[in-house]
Amino acid sequence: MPDPVGRPPLCGEAQFQELVQDLVEDEAPRLFAVVQEYGDRVDCRIAAWGMAFSDRVEVVSVRGGLRMKLSEPEDSLCWFRLDNFVSARLVWHVGLNGQRP
């Protein structure tokens, strides 16, 4: 980072806040859950949460103890399938405005 001492502000406070907000919106990772399903719709639980960045995926199990850095969200599923009766799938989080981030 270059030293900012002596450099003037890029713009006014309100415009800078808008630029910062736009940056956060553009760079935010997409949030998803890894859901384990028991049997044929008998029951389910969230087993892990993941964040999909532009260049990688980070996944953390709900119970702790498992943290993964992967290439694709789907790569996490094999870690949460058990036997023949527990399957795993991704469920993308839908934002507060009803749209996927």
Side-chain angles (χ1 to χ4, degrees), residues 8 16 19 21 27 39 46 53 62 68 73 80 97:
F16 191 74
L19 289 171
Q21 187 65 45
E27 297 291 326
I46 296 174
F53 296 89
V62 170
M68 298 179 275
F80 296 97
N97 62 3

Side-chain angles (χ1 to χ4, degrees), residues 1 13 20 23 39 41 46-47 57 74-75 78 80 84 89-92 100:
M1 264 281 160
E13 177 61 34
V20 170
L23 176 65
R41 298 182 311 274
I46 296 174
V57 173
E74 293 78 13
D75 295 342
C78 65
F80 296 97
N84 292 330
R89 68 178 173 123
L90 296 179
V91 179
W92 291 96
R100 292 186 178 172

Side-chain angles (χ1 to χ4, degrees), residues 19-78:
L19 289 171
V20 170
Q21 187 65 45
D22 289 345
L23 176 65
V24 170
E25 296 298 324
D26 290 344
E27 297 291 326
R30 291 185 62 207
L31 183 64
F32 65 91
V34 178
V35 176
Q36 287 180 316
E37 297 178 358
Y38 301 95
D40 184 16
R41 298 182 311 274
V42 173
D43 201 359
C44 66
R45 77 176 190 97
I46 296 174
W49 286 99
M51 291 188 297
F53 296 89
S54 62
D55 63 340
R56 71 187 187 290
V57 173
E58 303 274 344
V59 178
V60 179
S61 65
V62 170
R63 294 185 177 159
L66 180 62
R67 184 175 177 154
M68 298 179 275
K69 184 176 178 180
L70 305 164
S71 298
E72 300 294 330
E74 293 78 13
D75 295 342
S76 65
L77 297 177
C78 65

